[in-house]
């Protein structure tokens, strides 16, 4: 390891068993971790936790396809309201509908005409990018990669190029 830093740890108990990686952002920089996941064309969930906020970054074949956060400001509805795409009233209406029909919030918002499909996809991409960029500002945090594990629920998939994000 360069400059005496300890790296994240890889565990691969046997061939055919998914490999997981765990560590701390102090010992393995986020850029390095993202590039490794991208280069290895990994599919799974990267969980990063700084003690206050937990983020999940979902990968398919080395590309970021979505993200989630425990930070209420990063919830899709709050994100769309803060960027002026929907109103608080439209969000409340959509959440109420979601409670009864269990559809994805974005799908409900497009169905009721609160936002276009094109704008929704653009904002989902921006939300994922901003969520990942935020982790670059963290001075510490634990991470683990859950190889092959993606959420069971449907999600609107995007494909972010990790190398481009790291360079930016």
């Amino acid at each position: 390891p360069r400059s005496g830093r300890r790296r994240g740890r890889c565990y691969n108990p046997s061939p055919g068993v998914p490999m997981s990686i765990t560590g701390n952002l102090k010992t393995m920089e986020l850029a390095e971790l993202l590039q490794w996941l991208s280069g290895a064309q990994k599919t799974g969930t990267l969980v990063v936790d700084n003690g206050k906020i937990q983020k999940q970054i979902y990968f398919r074949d080395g590309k970021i396809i979505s993200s989630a956060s425990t930070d209420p400001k990063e919830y899709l509805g709050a994100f769309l309201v803060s960027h002026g795409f929907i109103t608080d009233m439209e969000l409340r209406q959509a959440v109420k509908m979601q409670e009864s029909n269990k559809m994805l919030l974005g799908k409900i918002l497009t169905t009721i005409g609160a936002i276009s499909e094109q704008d929704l996809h653009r904002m989902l991409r921006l939300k994922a990018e901003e969520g990942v960029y935020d982790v670059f500002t963290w001075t510490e945090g634990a991470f683990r990669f859950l190889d092959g594990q993606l959420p069971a629920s449907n999600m609107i998939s995007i494909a972010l190029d990790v190398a481009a994000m790291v360079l930016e």
Side-chain angles (χ1 to χ4, degrees):
R2 64 178 190 258
S3 62
R5 295 184 321 162
R6 290 189 56 211
R7 312 297 277 186
R9 292 176 290 185
C10 294
Y11 300 100
N12 196 0
S14 61
V17 174
M19 189 169 83
S20 65
I21 182 170
T22 63
N24 191 290
L25 295 176
K26 284 185 174 183
T27 57
M28 186 173 196
E29 294 174 1
L30 181 64
E32 198 173 9
L33 177 60
L34 294 176
Q35 288 175 322
W36 180 80
L37 293 169
S38 176
Q41 296 188 335
K42 290 296 200 178
T43 294
T45 302
L46 175 63
V47 180
V48 188
D49 191 322
N50 70 1
K52 296 181 204 106
I53 297 170
Q54 184 182 84
K55 296 196 182 210
Q56 297 85 34
I57 303 169
Y58 306 111
F59 286 81
R60 181 172 289 122
D61 301 324
K63 297 245 189 246
I64 295 173
I65 58 165
S66 191
S67 68
S69 173
T70 59
D71 184 349
K73 294 184 305 240
E74 292 187 48
Y75 294 171
L76 177 61
F79 190 80
L80 293 173
V81 169
S82 72
H83 284 75
F85 278 86
I86 64 171
T87 65
D88 282 323
M89 179 72 91
E90 289 168 323
L91 176 58
R92 282 194 298 273
Q93 178 187 358
V95 168
K96 192 171 187 172
M97 291 173 71
Q98 187 180 36
E99 289 169 0
S100 63
N101 66 21
K102 307 297 183 214
M103 283 174 58
L104 292 172
L105 184 65
K107 185 72 177 155
I108 292 169
L109 289 166
T110 58
T111 301
I112 66 173
I115 189 170
S116 70
E117 287 264 349
Q118 184 179 0
D119 283 341
L120 176 64
H121 282 276
R122 197 164 44 86
M123 293 309 291
L124 284 169
R125 184 179 190 86
L126 180 63
K127 179 179 147 330
E129 288 172 348
E130 288 185 6
V132 173
Y133 291 145
D134 182 51
V135 181
F136 278 98
T137 67
W138 294 6
T139 55
E140 61 181 67
F143 67 80
R144 66 187 184 281
F145 183 73
L146 309 172
D147 200 5
Q149 295 184 31
L150 290 173
S153 64
N154 292 331
M155 61 180 141
I156 297 173
S157 184
I158 55 173
L160 297 176
D161 181 4
V162 173
M165 289 189 71
V166 169
L167 284 174
E168 190 171 315

